């Protein structure tokens, strides 16, 4: 029997106790988990250092190592996120609807945990704590299959959390981490219908697509982020530059970072030089179209020779790329907001998109027309996050349309059932 199947069986057994656990006990577990992370931070950091060293030895990009890296500050963030979950309402056991029929039957629709939640993810060990905490709070058990790059970190975090969960009287197998780095274990997990109630892939496009195509268990699809900022002709230039720089450089290796900028042709000549210099100063490589090239050449001619080293001609592939690095594509649109919407809907990944504009009409057209989980007006795409949205620690950003969309956490890991109470009624 594969490790994945054994892990799922253990989680399935634990899920029965988790479904019956009181809100008080689940919150007690979350506080114990947070305390354990703080207590064992040095151990976790030591294991993480092994992962980071091996990743660098393998030539991994620094932007990906940033996603992998843990220090005491980041571990404190993980612990605080667990404690914040305890302050949120319990999503399980809520009476969502209630009515009494003419025949006297009392019907209540209540929220219930899904059961066993499987997570398949890559080089972000904080997901181990986030997923475990969200599953505990919502009354689920989880099977965690982290990527090989973070295997030492993930296993250390999972073991610390298991001990904490068991210390308050809940089953340690509410959190089960798969130790093997063999990809066959992932493929097994995708097929454990009857043991796994839902699978959530979180990582690059290749991982997500593989899970969606091969799973026979239900999948909540999280998506990559080719996120755009569109600068409308009515935009405040200073605001637009600030938003773009934040969305691109505040943290590059994340799915809600800006990867592409669209600029109205009517303002390109005036707006682009300042933006281009901002990006160059931040060491961002610019992939631009012919209009952007012309703006670069004009800016260089005005005494900014350094800008030339930060520009390359964009290819068709650039419009759809998620760089996860200090790179960005810029395209000048001739057709205003309608062309911008069409471009985004063609090349975007249904994640997070932004318009910078003072025109309410343009904002309305953009927000109604763009097909994405989060559509911003005059704000950075970096806010697409469960914590920033007030949801607590998130389990992912869903770019699909069924069940849940956007940052999702507790309520997304519940389903419903009907409780029907009678006094002897039979159907005639």
């Amino acid at each position: 029997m594969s490790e994945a199947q054994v892990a799922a069986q253990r989680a399935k057994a634990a899920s029965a106790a988790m479904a019956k656990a009181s809100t008080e006990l689940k919150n007690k577990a979350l506080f114990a988990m947070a305390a354990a992370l703080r207590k064992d931070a040095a151990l976790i950091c030591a294991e993480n250092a092994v992962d980071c060293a091996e990743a660098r030895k393998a030539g991994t990009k620094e932007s990906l190592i940033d996603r992998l890296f843990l220090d005491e500050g980041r571990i404190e963030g993980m612990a605080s996120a667990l404690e914040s979950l305890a302050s949120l309402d319990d999503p399980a056991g809520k009476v969502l609807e209630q009515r009494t029929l003419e025949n006297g039957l009392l019907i209540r629709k209540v929220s219930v945990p899904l059961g066993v939640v499987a997570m398949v993810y890559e080089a972000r060990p904080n997901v181990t704590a986030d997923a475990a905490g969200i599953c505990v709070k919502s009354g689920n058990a989880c099977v965690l299959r982290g990527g090989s790059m973070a295997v030492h970190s993930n296993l250390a975090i999972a073991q610390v959390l298991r001990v904490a969960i068991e210390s308050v009287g809940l089953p340690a197998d509410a959190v089960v981490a798969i130790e093997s780095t063999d990809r066959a274990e992932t493929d097994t997990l995708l097929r454990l219908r009857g043991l796994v109630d839902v699978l959530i892939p979180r990582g690059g496009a290749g991982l997500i697509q593989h899970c969606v195509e091969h799973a026979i268990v239900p999948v909540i699809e999280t998506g990559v982020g080719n996120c755009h900022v569109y600068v409308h002709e009515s935009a405040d230039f200073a605001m637009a530059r600030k938003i773009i720089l934040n969305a691109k450089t505040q943290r590059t290796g994340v799915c809600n970072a800006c990867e592409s900028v669209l600029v109205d042709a009517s303002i390109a000549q005036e707006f682009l030089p300042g933006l281009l210099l901002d990006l160059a100063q931040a060491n961002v490589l610019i992939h631009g179209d012919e209009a952007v090239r012309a703006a670069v050449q004009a800016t260089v001619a005005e005494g900014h020779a350094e800008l030339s080293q930060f520009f390359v001609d964009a290819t068709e592939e650039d419009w759809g790329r998620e760089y996860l690095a200090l790179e960005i594509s810029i395209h000048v649109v001739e057709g205003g907001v309608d062309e911008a919407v069409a471009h985004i809907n063609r090349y975007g990944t249904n994640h997070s998109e932004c318009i910078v504009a003072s025109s309410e009409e343009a904002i309305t057209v953009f927000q109604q027309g763009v097909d994405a989980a989060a559509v911003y007006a005059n704000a950075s795409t970096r806010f697409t996050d469960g914590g920033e949205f007030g949801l607590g620690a998130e389990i992912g950003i869903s770019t699909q349309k069924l069940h849940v969309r956007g940052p999702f956490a507790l309520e997304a890991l519940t389903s419903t059932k009907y409780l029907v109470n009678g006094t002897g009624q039979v159907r005639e």
Side-chain angles (χ1 to χ4, degrees), residues 228-245 258 260-268 270-272 275 330-333 336-337 340 344 354-358 362 366 378:
H228 297 74
V229 174
Y230 164 52
V231 185
H232 184 257
E233 63 182 5
S234 69
D236 178 289
F237 286 6
M239 178 193 291
R241 288 164 59 180
K242 181 180 179 181
I243 286 172
I244 292 167
L245 204 63
C258 173
S260 188
V261 172
L262 305 178
V263 179
D264 271 342
S266 60
I267 59 168
E270 183 182 0
F271 173 74
L272 281 174
L275 174 64
I330 304 180
H331 174 55
V332 173
V333 294
V337 65
I344 290 170
C354 168
I355 180 175
V356 184
S358 59
F366 185 86
N378 300 323

Side-chain angles (χ1 to χ4, degrees), residues 247-263:
K248 176 69 264 183
T249 67
Q250 194 262 344
R251 195 171 178 190
T252 57
V254 290
C255 60
N256 57 17
C258 173
E259 305 288 24
S260 188
V261 172
L262 305 178
V263 179

Side-chain angles (χ1 to χ4, degrees), residues 82-348:
L82 291 173
E83 290 174 337
S84 72
L85 283 170
S87 68
L88 299 177
D89 289 342
D90 192 335
K94 290 183 176 180
V95 178
L96 305 175
E97 297 177 18
Q98 178 173 313
R99 61 185 178 276
T100 302
L101 304 184
E102 289 185 3
N103 60 11
L105 287 177
L106 172 63
I107 299 180
R108 289 169 293 157
K109 182 180 181 181
V110 300
S111 58
V112 295
L114 290 173
V116 175
V117 177
M119 279 286 297
V120 180
Y121 53 105
E122 293 179 333
R124 295 190 66 174
N126 64 292
V127 174
T128 302
D130 288 349
I134 292 168
C135 286
V136 167
K137 177 70 176 189
S138 55
N140 293 286
C142 61
V143 177
L144 305 176
R145 173 62 167 91
S148 58
M149 189 184 299
V151 62
H152 296 92
S153 309
N154 291 334
L155 294 178
I157 293 167
Q159 183 56 32
V160 167
L161 297 179
R162 283 170 53 84
V163 172
I165 292 167
E166 194 170 37
S167 73
V168 303
L170 288 173
D173 284 343
V175 176
V176 184
I178 295 175
E179 297 185 15
S180 173
T181 58
D182 189 339
R183 292 184 179 181
E185 297 294 344
T186 296
D187 289 336
T188 298
L189 203 57
L190 301 178
R191 304 185 64 81
L192 293 180
R193 191 173 182 88
L195 287 176
V196 172
D197 293 289
V198 67
L199 183 133
I200 303 168
R202 182 168 171 177
L207 169 69
I208 295 167
Q209 194 61 31
H210 179 82
C211 291
V212 170
E213 290 180 355
H214 294 90
I216 63 171
V217 301
V219 174
I220 298 177
E221 182 177 353
T222 62
V224 296
N226 179 27
C227 304
H228 297 74
V229 174
Y230 164 52
V231 185
H232 184 257
E233 63 182 5
S234 69
D236 178 289
F237 286 6
M239 178 193 291
R241 288 164 59 180
K242 181 180 179 181
I243 286 172
I244 292 167
L245 204 63
N246 175 264
K248 176 69 264 183
T249 67
Q250 194 262 344
R251 195 171 178 190
T252 57
V254 290
C255 60
N256 57 17
C258 173
E259 305 288 24
S260 188
V261 172
L262 305 178
V263 179
D264 271 342
S266 60
I267 59 168
Q269 186 174 358
E270 183 182 0
F271 173 74
L272 281 174
L275 174 64
L276 296 172
L277 291 173
D278 285 346
L279 293 170
Q281 188 173 9
N283 294 312
V284 178
L285 180 64
I286 300 156
H287 301 254
D289 61 16
E290 291 182 6
V292 178
R293 168 174 279 280
V296 168
Q297 291 172 340
T299 307
V300 168
E302 292 178 358
H304 298 282
E306 73 280 4
L307 181 57
S308 60
Q309 65 181 304
F310 290 100
F311 176 82
V312 295
D313 289 313
T315 65
E316 176 68 20
E317 289 72 27
D318 281 306
W319 308 134
R321 283 184 62 185
E322 182 188 37
Y323 296 104
L324 298 176
L326 288 173
E327 299 183 56
I328 198 167
S329 65
I330 304 180
H331 174 55
V332 173
V333 294
E334 299 282 350
V337 65
D338 290 332
E339 183 181 337
V341 168
H343 180 97
I344 290 170
N345 287 343
R346 177 179 178 184
Y347 295 105

